[in-house]
């Protein structure tokens, strides 16, 4: 449960708001680097014709979709509707949890995030890479973003491996330096691909079971209480 506090911390509204977190900035840098690598290095070395066109189309589409979905997730405010409602401040509602930090009655599926300093509806987890909580309001965008990320990294890896194995532009001279660069790209983005694949599969598993990351990790399921006494606990 929450301990009572004298002053309520100022909640973070959206992930896009400043100050930006270090890992959030790192995410932007990695994504910008992926665009440079794909468009400026891997793409031009693809075999002419359908191979090169399909690479650029697949990479550009998945890269842009991931960017848009991530921005949409960061632009949403996943807070419980009661957070910030002055009329509900300090009020209690029968058979409804009360957060001692936000000082408002909240939904049964809301949990307090200590990073964002607010209760989040349908709380799934706090994502440090987007610097925001993932809840009911932005989970669809987050889910779409990780699958678009998987598609973009898969395209980049496939294109890089194809070049290494000789499926490159006619007359292209790779040389030892370029082959080494491609090997580094495969190693770095191959590791990222494995992480994102596991993450995507994990969230598909959660969706099939109808639970959140929080519920999976804690083993607690959101249940509607039958009495006011059972709802007396904090969020």
């Amino acid at each position: 449960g929450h301990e009572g506090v004298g002053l309520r911390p100022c909640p973070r509204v959206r992930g896009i708001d400043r100050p930006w977190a270090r890992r959030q900035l790192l995410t932007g840098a990695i994504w910008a680097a992926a665009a440079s690598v794909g468009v400026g290095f891997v793409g031009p070395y693809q075999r002419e014709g359908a191979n090169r066109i399909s690479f650029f189309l697949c990479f550009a589409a998945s890269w842009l979709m991931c960017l848009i979905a991530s921005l949409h997730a960061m632009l949403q405010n996943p807070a419980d509707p009661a957070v910030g409602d002055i009329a509900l401040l300090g009020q209690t509602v029968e058979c409804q949890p009360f957060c001692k930090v936000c000082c408002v009655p909240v939904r049964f599926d809301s949990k307090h995030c200590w990073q964002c300093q607010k209760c989040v509806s349908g709380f799934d987890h706090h994502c440090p890479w987007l610097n925001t909580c993932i809840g009911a309001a932005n989970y669809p965008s987050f889910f779409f973003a990780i699958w678009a990320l998987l598609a973009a990294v898969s395209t980049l890896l496939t294109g890089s491996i194809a070049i290494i194995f000789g499926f490159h532009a006619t007359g292209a001279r790779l040389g030892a330096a370029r082959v080494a660069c491609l090997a580094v790209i495969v190693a770095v983005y191959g590791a990222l691909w494995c992480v994102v694949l596991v993450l995507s599969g994990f969230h598909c598993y959660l969706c099939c079971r109808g639970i959140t990351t929080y519920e999976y990790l804690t083993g607690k399921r959101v249940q509607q209480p039958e009495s006011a006494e059972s709802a007396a606990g904090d969020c």
Side-chain angles (χ1 to χ4, degrees), residues 124 139 143 147 200-213 215-216 221:
D124 188 84
Y139 184 83
F143 186 84
W147 276 101
S200 303
F202 174 67
H203 279 278
C204 283
Y205 168 76
L206 295 180
C207 289
C208 290
R209 289 194 58 189
I211 61 176
T212 64
T213 300
E215 291 172 330
Y216 175 83
R221 296 295 299 271

Side-chain angles (χ1 to χ4, degrees), residues 145-169:
I146 58 177
W147 276 101
L149 173 59
L150 182 64
V153 176
S154 297
T155 304
L156 192 60
L157 276 176
T158 303
S160 300
I161 294 172
I163 296 172
I164 292 176
F165 282 92
F167 296 95
H168 50 69

Side-chain angles (χ1 to χ4, degrees), residues 8-221:
R8 292 184 297 113
C10 181
R12 181 179 186 83
V13 180
R14 303 174 303 173
I16 201 69
D17 297 337
R18 295 185 180 184
W20 297 324
R22 291 182 179 179
R23 276 189 278 187
Q24 185 181 22
L25 295 173
L26 179 60
T27 300
I30 292 174
W31 205 229
S36 300
V37 170
V39 176
F41 187 77
V42 179
Y45 278 97
Q46 297 300 305
R47 183 169 291 179
E48 297 88 340
N51 284 11
R52 184 178 296 179
I53 294 173
S54 60
F55 173 85
F56 277 115
L57 286 177
C58 291
F59 181 74
S62 55
W63 189 93
L64 286 173
M65 286 189 292
C66 181
L67 177 64
I68 293 171
S70 298
L71 287 174
H72 187 268
M74 289 188 288
L75 286 169
Q76 302 301 308
N77 179 13
D80 186 284
V83 175
D85 190 339
I86 299 178
L88 294 175
L89 195 61
Q91 302 295 318
T92 58
V93 178
E94 187 177 1
C95 296
Q96 191 168 342
F98 182 85
C99 178
K100 291 181 179 179
V101 179
C102 297
C103 296
V104 291
V106 296
R107 292 172 38 172
F108 294 102
D109 63 354
S110 292
K111 298 297 174 185
H112 191 85
C113 174
W114 294 101
Q115 284 77 25
C116 294
Q117 294 294 350
K118 65 185 179 186
C119 283
V120 176
S121 294
F123 180 78
D124 188 84
H125 70 285
H126 180 85
C127 179
W129 306 104
L130 299 180
N131 198 25
T132 189
C133 276
I134 304 301
N138 57 1
Y139 184 83
S141 299
F142 169 79
F143 186 84
F144 188 85
I146 58 177
W147 276 101
L149 173 59
L150 182 64
V153 176
S154 297
T155 304
L156 192 60
L157 276 176
T158 303
S160 300
I161 294 172
I163 296 172
I164 292 176
F165 282 92
F167 296 95
H168 50 69
T170 304
R173 297 180 180 180
L174 296 181
R178 288 188 175 87
V179 171
C181 288
L182 287 168
V184 171
I185 292 172
V186 171
V188 172
Y189 286 97
L192 178 60
W193 183 85
C194 292
V195 173
V196 178
L197 178 64
V198 172
L199 181 64
S200 303
F202 174 67
H203 279 278
C204 283
Y205 168 76
L206 295 180
C207 289
C208 290
R209 289 194 58 189
I211 61 176
T212 64
T213 300
Y214 176 84
E215 291 172 330
Y216 175 83
L217 294 176
T218 63
K220 300 177 181 178
R221 296 295 299 271

